[in-house]
Amino acid sequence: MPLTADNFVQSNSGGHDFTGNVTLPAATEVGSRLILTLAGSGTIATPSGWTRDADGGAATSCNIYSRLGDGGTSWAFDIGSTQSCEWDLFEVTGIDPDAPVDVTPQTTGLAGSTGTTDPSTTYDGLLIGIHRSVGSVGGGTFPVFGAHSTNEELSDHGHATGGAFSPISISTCRRFVQALGSFECDCDPDVGTYTGTCVLYTAEGAKRKASISHWWSFPAELAGATNLHLTGANYFQVAGGTPAITSDGLQLTGSANIQDIWGPSGLGAPLGTPYPGHVAAIRFRLDSLSGDIQIAVLDDSSAGSDVVIRYVSASQKIGVKVGTGAEVLSDATVTTATWYRIDLRARCLNGTSPHLCDWQLDYGSGPVAQAQASLASNGLALGFLQPKLGWGVNATGTITYDFAVYSNVGGHYPLGEFVFPFLKVDPAGTPTVVGTANNFRRFTANGTLDGTFIAANVRDALDEWPPVFGASADGLAVVTAHATDYCEIPMQTYDPAGTGALRGPVWVFIPVWAASATTATMRINGWDGTTSTVFWPESDPQTDNTASPPWICVLWEPTGGWTPAKLDAAAIRVGALDATPDIGPHAIGMALCVQVATAIPVFGEAAAPLRVEQDSDSTTGGILALRAYTPADQSATLVYELGGVPQTPVVIPAASNPETVVIDAADATVVTRIELQPDEPA
């Protein structure tokens, strides 16, 4: 639910010199969040039990702190023997207890500004801003702040002292946020040295920005693929063993040896500092077992706090362990020949707090929450993530993986279910050449060229999945070098049509070929209708006419993310500055990551003859589709608004089971009204 003024339970303001207390009028609710804005005349150490969520620099004397309510009314703050401070304290409900902070300012605020936050990830947020001003030592007047231009002012107060103390003043403001963006506050004092900072807190259960940092799927179209780890454009790194993609997925089979694959080593620092999170969803099947075996690792670059998922033979359960912390076992046993999905979130407040791992296991009939795994503080905050599947120590067994999806937004937990459509070259599309058409030809029989460029021949030679190599191989060849000419091949498109939401980036798969092992360069770009993205810069992919050519595998995400229009326009551009020998792709494919919609009731009880359900985006909360059910003798009219604008009413015939209306709203704030108007029964 969005945060509002109703979430503010109580507040208090004050100021003191030396050691003092911050207080509230009444006992706090256990589990609520206490938010303290504090402006000091010098450095302030964070007291036990509190977390500094943001500071405005100036020797850490312009800060926002928070903690969970503990039933108390007073908390000590030691600000030093020669300092003074002003403070505002609020008790607020509805804030996420596990990961309350979404984003903080990128830099310290100056000239009356709190500074601008990083781009937010939450649709339901509360921005708290503090401005601090300090007068001259021994001065008798404390500064007074002006108006806030974009936020609601909650306080403006201070106190003046003489002697060694500086007059100090504070102004605190708030804003309720229901959209993504970067935020700041501005408020200028009449005199003094001023600084500011702000924090965007997020509501419990808030919907989040749709972003996925990395993912793997292993569709049947890739079955038998080898050499997927070309340097600079690989699907995964082979750390050990012989991974194989079968019709069921990625299969790792070991006999007292290492079998694992790795993703990129720096997927990005977790967002939401200082409450970051690494989130993953992995579907796997245990095919054969002989003792303990590692399933996957969320490798944290901060060292010593990796999350390890493994099968524990003594208990026949799944174990999750953070670093050297105690291993936590699943609440039920697992068996071979069964698919399981594990969802995890690794998080750490900062270098002085425990590393925690929340997780759940889907045994086949829905996710079951598991006991939290933890690691006592090792002095390190959560670092960059490197995803790993398989085992890095000698073990015996076989595991098959269907998919693995990763995010660095802690609020995405649990990621849930996904599907991965595979797109080929558009069978109704026409490859086109920019430049001289006959610089490009179809090749067949592993090297036989057409006499001229024939678009349909090129298209049909690039659509075989899994690709055929060896004597029957075909594809597109660049036969004459040119610095700017390219052949553009349109790809199939995809519309989830209300059943799910596209999560970028998209994987592009291109096995490449050359007429001999002689060095030859080529270039490959992606085109989204607006921007050309380099997949493979002009260079040698080190390919030749073998039966196992290397593959160019890249993640493609256009600036601003994928939209239906960009996906409709998606095309691959191939060219070469050195086409001796002939060089080009065998096939071109794209795999999409689609997060499956969540079904939510709107009107009527489950299975009621007259009801409405919605399919919601699991991350953003946007309504993807409405499904209206009517009994055999009663019709109805579905009325809804987008952004306050009435849409054309939809007549729902009697006996609809259901009638589906695709909405595809971008986020939860777009659909502002849903109403079902039943007709009289027949």
Side-chain angles (χ1 to χ4, degrees):
M1 293 291 293
L3 296 167
T4 69
D6 291 339
N7 292 100
F8 279 69
V9 178
Q10 57 176 326
S11 64
N12 197 18
S13 299
H16 60 266
D17 303 319
F18 307 127
T19 297
N21 285 12
V22 297
T23 63
L24 285 171
T28 57
E29 176 184 336
V30 175
S32 63
R33 183 151 294 272
L34 308 185
I35 299 175
L36 172 68
T37 59
L38 192 147
S41 59
T43 301
I44 302 170
T46 303
S48 175
W50 294 80
T51 298
R52 180 185 290 135
D53 292 337
D55 69 76
T60 62
S61 58
C62 175
N63 305 321
I64 300 177
Y65 303 88
S66 75
R67 64 171 295 156
L68 292 177
D70 58 0
T73 60
S74 181
W75 301 268
F77 263 79
D78 183 352
I79 62 169
S81 60
T82 60
Q83 298 183 39
S84 54
C85 76
E86 288 289 308
W87 54 266
D88 294 310
L89 180 59
F90 308 92
E91 181 182 8
V92 185
T93 61
I95 291 178
D96 191 314
D98 298 322
V101 173
D102 186 60
V103 285
T104 56
Q106 298 166 327
T107 57
T108 299
L110 297 172
S113 168
T114 60
T116 304
T117 66
D118 288 320
S120 63
T121 74
T122 182
Y123 282 98
D124 299 326
L126 166 65
L127 185 74
I128 294 289
I130 171 181
H131 294 81
R132 158 197 174 271
S133 187
V134 180
S136 300
V137 173
T141 303
F142 62 85
V144 177
F145 288 91
H148 294 259
S149 62
T150 57
N151 303 297
E152 175 189 359
E153 186 178 63
L154 298 176
S155 74
D156 186 345
H157 57 90
H159 74 277
T161 59
F165 298 104
S166 301
I168 185 82
S169 61
I170 187 174
S171 180
T172 300
C173 61
R174 73 182 178 190
R175 185 194 311 180
F176 299 105
V177 172
Q178 273 84 52
L180 302 179
S182 298
F183 305 96
E184 65 176 336
C185 311
D186 55 56
C187 178
D188 292 334
D190 55 352
V191 296
T193 301
Y194 42 81
T195 52
T197 191
C198 60
V199 172
L200 181 62
Y201 293 97
T202 185
E204 184 173 14
K207 296 305 179 182
R208 299 295 187 137
K209 174 184 178 182
S211 62
I212 295 296
S213 55
H214 186 79
W215 60 273
W216 285 307
S217 72
F218 306 100
E221 286 84 0
L222 300 184
T226 58
N227 292 348
L228 292 171
H229 39 88
L230 178 66
T231 301
N234 55 33
Y235 196 40
F236 49 74
Q237 303 173 49
V238 178
T242 53
I245 298 180
T246 71
S247 58
D248 282 348
L250 173 72
Q251 190 172 90
L252 300 179
T253 300
S255 178
N257 60 5
I258 294 172
Q259 296 283 335
D260 61 351
I261 67 167
W262 295 7
S265 58
L267 284 183
L271 301 178
T273 303
Y275 294 85
H278 287 311
V279 183
I282 303 169
R283 186 192 297 281
F284 62 93
R285 185 183 68 199
L286 305 170
D287 295 321
S288 66
L289 300 167
S290 179
D292 299 344
I293 193 166
Q294 185 172 284
I295 299 168
V297 177
L298 274 63
D299 191 328
D300 172 23
S301 62
S302 67
S305 51
D306 298 347
V307 176
V308 176
I309 307 105
R310 67 179 190 134
Y311 170 76
V312 182
S313 59
S315 61
Q316 300 180 19
K317 293 182 176 182
I318 300 299
V320 171
K321 184 178 182 180
V322 183
T324 57
E327 185 172 54
V328 177
L329 299 178
S330 59
D331 66 337
T333 60
V334 294
T335 64
T336 58
T338 300
W339 286 102
Y340 301 97
R341 190 190 76 238
I342 187 169
D343 285 274
L344 306 99
R345 174 175 61 189
R347 53 192 174 91
C348 175
L349 178 67
N350 49 43
T352 61
S353 298
H355 292 257
L356 305 173
C357 180
D358 307 302
W359 62 295
Q360 61 183 32
L361 195 60
D362 190 334
Y363 297 95
S365 57
V368 178
Q370 305 295 319
Q372 187 181 71
S374 65
L375 168 69
S377 173
N378 61 2
L380 297 169
L382 205 64
F384 287 76
L385 172 70
Q386 182 173 26
K388 299 178 180 180
L389 300 179
W391 50 100
V393 295
N394 291 344
T396 298
T398 300
I399 303 178
T400 300
Y401 300 84
D402 182 29
F403 68 79
V405 181
Y406 303 88
S407 166
N408 61 346
V409 178
H412 281 172
Y413 175 81
L415 284 169
E417 195 56 62
F418 291 83
V419 294
F420 303 89
F422 192 92
L423 307 185
K424 305 176 183 179
V425 170
D426 186 351
T430 302
T432 58
V433 172
V434 172
T436 302
N438 284 334
N439 287 350
F440 303 86
R441 312 282 179 87
R442 177 187 67 166
F443 72 84
T444 60
N446 201 29
T448 302
L449 299 175
D450 285 349
T452 60
F453 174 79
I454 303 172
N457 287 356
V458 170
R459 176 195 65 207
D460 295 344
L462 293 171
D463 67 351
E464 295 171 344
W465 288 95
V468 175
F469 303 127
S472 300
D474 60 4
L476 167 67
V478 187
V479 299
T480 303
H482 196 280
T484 59
D485 286 7
Y486 60 83
C487 180
E488 180 175 293
I489 303 100
M491 302 299 295
Q492 287 179 313
T493 191
Y494 176 82
D495 182 3
T499 62
L502 179 64
R503 297 289 178 250
V506 165
W507 274 106
V508 178
F509 301 100
I510 306 175
V512 290
W513 165 92
S516 74
T518 306
T519 297
T521 66
M522 65 183 301
R523 61 185 178 274
I524 301 179
N525 286 27
W527 174 249
D528 63 18
T530 303
T531 304
S532 179
T533 300
V534 176
F535 293 161
W536 184 262
E538 187 75 44
S539 57
D540 182 10
Q542 300 179 10
T543 185
D544 54 41
N545 58 354
T546 69
S548 57
W551 295 52
I552 293 174
C553 307
V554 293
L555 279 170
W556 181 16
E557 184 165 25
T559 302
W562 284 102
T563 65
K566 291 178 182 178
L567 195 57
D568 287 346
I572 308 301
R573 294 174 170 178
V574 178
L577 185 58
D578 173 14
T580 304
D582 302 332
I583 190 170
H586 281 288
I588 301 174
M590 294 182 2
L592 312 184
C593 179
V594 176
Q595 192 169 22
V596 175
T598 301
I600 300 174
V602 181
F603 304 119
E605 299 293 330
L610 182 64
R611 69 184 191 275
V612 175
E613 299 172 350
Q614 70 184 43
D615 289 328
S616 294
D617 186 315
S618 301
T619 295
T620 69
I623 298 178
L624 304 178
L626 295 171
R627 288 177 281 110
Y629 296 78
T630 53
D633 61 346
Q634 190 175 28
S635 59
T637 301
L638 182 67
V639 177
Y640 66 99
E641 295 179 358
L642 299 181
V645 178
Q647 305 298 299
T648 302
V650 179
V651 175
I652 311 298
S656 291
N657 289 294
E659 183 83 7
T660 299
V661 180
V662 175
I663 305 293
D664 279 338
D667 60 66
T669 64
V670 173
V671 180
T672 51
R673 179 189 177 200
I674 303 172
E675 183 178 325
L676 184 66
Q677 301 171 349
D679 298 325
E680 290 295 327

